[in-house]
Amino acid sequence: MEHNYDEPVYLISVVAKVLSIHPQTLRQYEREGLVEPSRTDGKIRLYSQRDIDRIKLILRLTRDMGVNLAGVDVILKLKSQLQEFENLVEELRLELSKKENGDKSKAVVERKNSFDLIFYEKL
């Protein structure tokens, strides 16, 4: 069975086992506001694949780079802001490309990397 990237399906015990961390660490990340798992009506925490990827990033920052949780919070907020700005730049470039082409053809945006967008006309 395949799940949507954002669908909360993993129990805290499963996530803890897969990531080799204590469930209490996951609860701490939640208290710190670093991750927000969904909850069932019975208040059971459920994590999505997006949550798991975010936790993996937190673990890389804390374990491999020695960043404390306050630093992780700042990094995650900056990363989110950067993504919002990249999305805005992508939208504005697409709009500009359409205007330059007189809206006769649809411009297509291809992301090369985080800071580089390539435009070409759709044939």
Side-chain angles (χ1 to χ4, degrees):
M1 176 186 268
E2 191 171 313
H3 298 285
N4 178 308
Y5 188 64
D6 292 308
E7 186 179 351
V9 293
Y10 303 103
L11 294 170
I12 191 170
S13 57
V14 173
V15 175
K17 185 173 183 174
V18 167
L19 298 178
S20 301
I21 58 175
H22 198 280
Q24 192 59 40
T25 303
L26 292 169
R27 292 185 193 99
Q28 180 183 6
Y29 291 170
E30 184 179 1
R31 279 193 307 274
E32 297 283 338
L34 300 175
V35 75
E36 295 179 40
S38 296
R39 300 250 184 182
T40 65
D41 291 336
K43 303 296 182 196
I44 295 172
R45 290 172 177 87
L46 290 177
Y47 295 83
S48 67
Q49 187 60 51
R50 183 179 304 279
D51 294 328
I52 292 172
D53 289 345
R54 186 174 176 96
I55 295 163
K56 286 178 182 178
L57 174 59
I58 294 167
L59 291 172
R60 267 196 313 277
L61 290 169
T62 56
R63 290 178 177 171
D64 302 342
M65 302 179 83
V67 178
N68 64 23
L69 292 183
V72 168
D73 185 44
V74 170
I75 290 167
L76 292 176
K77 285 178 181 171
L78 288 172
K79 185 176 182 291
S80 176
Q81 273 188 323
L82 180 60
Q83 185 61 53
E84 288 176 26
F85 290 141
E86 287 176 346
N87 291 343
L88 178 60
V89 167
E90 186 173 326
E91 288 172 21
L92 292 172
R93 288 190 181 184
L94 180 58
E95 188 176 318
L96 179 62
S97 178
K98 283 181 178 181
K99 287 190 187 303
E100 287 174 349
N101 292 323
D103 272 342
K104 292 178 184 168
S105 63
K106 296 189 188 261
V108 177
V109 179
E110 179 182 312
R111 182 180 295 274
K112 191 172 181 183
N113 62 42
S114 294
F115 300 102
D116 208 356
L117 298 172
I118 299 173
F119 289 87
Y120 58 91
E121 287 186 34
K122 195 173 187 179
L123 300 176

